[in-house]
Amino acid sequence: MSSGKAMAQKSSNDRVKQSSSHLGLMLLITGWYSGNALYNIFNKKATIMIDAHWSVAAAQLLVGIFMSLASWVLGIRKLPNLSREDIVACIPPGFCIAIAHAGSVRAMGAGAVSFAQTVKASEPVFAAVLGMIVPPYEVKSSTA
């Protein structure tokens, strides 16, 4: 009798853990979309205010660089152990990512925020489809 009661209690605890896990996931997704919407709105305001889309994009990337440097200096993140070859290998994709970021800032500045939000929301689907089309290749694991 007591083992049946213990199993029911365990099952109840599992349901509570699963519910809290789902709730946490929903809060994270909601937070991500809310933050993304606010980013788009403030980006639009900034590009309208100074009419310099490329400068806004460059400033955002510089802020990201300084935040990374600060996290390494303060010990928040471990400094990656990269060889010269690793750094050289990161330059082409880094350049492409910087150009894509600048293009997205330009596009968001040129169009409606709601359209930009819709396009950004479809990025995971695009990435998944692209991942199915482009053959995988081995990537050296990061130490960052």
Side-chain angles (χ1 to χ4, degrees):
M1 183 98 164
S2 65
S3 69
K5 197 173 191 180
M7 273 187 91
Q9 181 66 27
K10 183 180 178 192
S11 177
S12 175
N13 287 343
D14 289 345
R15 281 191 296 253
V16 169
K17 285 180 183 177
Q18 189 176 19
S19 294
S20 65
S21 175
H22 287 250
L23 178 63
L25 179 61
M26 291 303 294
L27 287 173
L28 288 172
I29 290 171
T30 301
W32 184 84
Y33 275 103
S34 300
N36 201 1
L38 289 171
Y39 166 79
N40 288 337
I41 291 167
F42 287 119
N43 224 19
K44 179 74 172 185
K45 287 181 179 182
T47 55
I48 288 172
M49 186 172 57
I50 65 172
D51 195 31
H53 302 87
W54 303 110
S55 298
V56 170
Q60 290 170 344
L61 292 173
L62 282 173
V63 167
I65 289 169
F66 287 123
M67 287 177 67
S68 295
L69 291 173
S71 71
W72 293 331
V73 168
L74 297 173
I76 297 169
R77 295 218 32 150
K78 183 180 168 190
L79 184 66
N81 185 14
L82 300 174
S83 68
R84 180 175 170 82
E85 292 80 27
D86 294 334
I87 293 170
V88 169
C90 287
I91 292 173
F95 178 75
C96 291
I97 290 167
I99 295 299
H101 174 69
S104 70
V105 170
R106 177 68 182 120
M108 281 188 271
V113 173
S114 58
F115 178 71
Q117 186 67 19
T118 302
V119 170
K120 285 187 75 62
S122 68
E123 284 177 356
V125 174
F126 175 76
V129 170
L130 188 63
M132 291 188 315
I133 295 170
V134 175
Y137 63 93
E138 188 174 335
V139 178
K140 181 181 176 185
S141 65
S142 172
T143 58

